[in-house]
Structure formats: structure tokens, C-alpha cells
Amino acid sequence: DDSDSDNDLLPDGYEVNTVGSNPLLQDSDLDGLNDIIEWNLTNTDPNNWDSDGDTLSDYAENSTHFTNPNNWDTDGDELGDYTEIFTHFTNPNNEDTDDDGIFDGYEVNNLNSDPKDNDTDDDGLLDGDEFNTHGTSLTKKDTDDDGIEDYDEIFTYFTNPTRPDTDFDGLTDGNEVADWNGYVTDPNNPDSDGDNLGDGLEITIGINPLAIDSDSDGLNDTWEYARNSEGYNYSPGNNDTDDDGINDGDEDIDTDGL
């Protein structure tokens, strides 16, 4: 009377009454692991080829991928072992395959970034730094679409990479630094020349945002602009507003004695 019909070192009665495995098969679930290995070593179910239900056989997890055959997500990154191996090609034993400071699952499921590339948008900023420190996009080089890449905003111009107009002067940061308006103004200072007229306003009315006296008539742009707003015939962009051949600064057009 053979007490171990399949020679798997588990007695027939023990297989039937305790393990629940087939006493006539060394590998009851045909997963490549003998029943005694599953029962005594891997702690997997000898009656289920895929103990954790992740679509990887217990044998493949134990012997090929070295993942946990009892846990569908070995590294706890919210991506199943099968999905990591065959869909995303990430490491099922490392929750952060690219070491960028963000779990693989979060990159895939929440950020749409590449869990295998620590700088998904190739802007020179690590995905982890973009997400955790700068608040910038992991998939877009220029988060605020102002014409300056995030890296340059942070490390070259010290502007806000999430706000297209850092100094709120009506000009985008890209316009200010790239001479798109005809002048290179300070994207961190709404009034680059300190004349109390914002850069955006000066550009709009056609005067120099880098000069306090754009028309070189001896009168401050702010003073001329204020007089013009009051109805007087002054222009911060014209040094002889009344075309009489005399600079406005040498006249007293508003008869204020100044």
C-alpha cells in the first residue's frame, strides 16, 4: 500500500484531508511547482496555478520574476506584477523604477508620466521635483506656455514656471526676456525702469519701458502720462507734442509754472 502515490513527499491522506491536493499528481495545479514546494516553501496554493490572481503563474513569480506569488502587487506601487512586467515594463520589485521619487502606479494612474524615465518631458527637471517641489507639469516642458521652459524659469530667470506673467505687468515672461516687444524687460519687476508706469502699459502706449524719459524731453514719462490723462497736450512718446520746434521740457504747456 503506497501512502504517497505521486511520490511528492506528501502522504496521500495528508493531501486529501489537509492540503486538498491531488494525491496522484506531484503538481496538482500544473503551475510548475510541486505540491510539497507550494505547501512547505512558497506558501502558495497547490490547487491554484496563480495564487494571488495576478495572471502570473506561481512558478513564474517564484522562479523567473522573483516576485511574491501571494501578492498581486509585490512592491506595493498600485500596479499589478503582470501589468508592470508586460504592459509598462517597470520593475515589479521596485515601487519607483526610475528613482524619481514617485511610485510607478502614481505616475501611470494619476500623472500620465513615464515610470521608466525620471524626466518624462526632458526639460531638465526630475519628475519628482516637478511634482513635489515646483508644481510643474511632468509631461510638458513649458507648463505655463509663456515661451520659457520650466527649467530656465526656475534656474535662469527665477520666474514662476506655473504663471505666464510672473510680475503681473501684462507681459508674459517669454515676451519680457526674448525681446518680442522690442525691449528686454525684467520678468520679475512690473516696472523695469522704476518710473511708476508698468512695463505692459509702457509697451501698450508705445514708450520705452527701460527709460524714465522715453522721448528725452526732460520730462518724466509718469509726469507726462499723468498730464495727458488730465487732458493736457503732453505725450511721453513725443518730445515736441505741439510741434512748435521746442521740446516739451522747455515749455510750460499746462501753465503750472513747472
Side-chain angles (χ1 to χ4, degrees), residues 234-251:
Y234 278 99
S235 170
N238 184 348
N239 61 13
D240 182 13
T241 306
D242 58 6
D243 294 320
D244 64 355
I246 303 174
N247 275 353
D248 293 344
D250 296 326
E251 299 190 73

Side-chain angles (χ1 to χ4, degrees), residues 66-96:
F66 307 107
T67 48
N68 185 344
N70 291 301
N71 187 342
W72 69 279
D73 178 13
T74 298
D75 55 14
D77 63 359
E78 299 300 324
L79 291 178
D81 294 341
Y82 181 92
T83 300
E84 294 218 55
I85 294 168
F86 294 108
T87 302
H88 302 296
F89 309 106
T90 47
N91 186 344
N93 293 295
N94 183 348
E95 69 273 10
D96 181 10

Side-chain angles (χ1 to χ4, degrees), residues 114-136:
D114 187 346
K116 304 185 302 301
D117 184 350
N118 61 16
D119 180 10
T120 299
D121 56 9
D122 296 320
D123 64 356
L125 300 172
L126 293 180
D127 290 346
D129 290 337
E130 295 214 61
F131 180 68
N132 295 311
T133 302
H134 306 302
T136 47

Side-chain angles (χ1 to χ4, degrees), residues 189-203:
N189 184 349
D191 180 14
S192 296
D193 57 10
D195 63 359
N196 294 316
L197 294 177
D199 295 341
L201 174 61
E202 296 209 62
I203 293 292

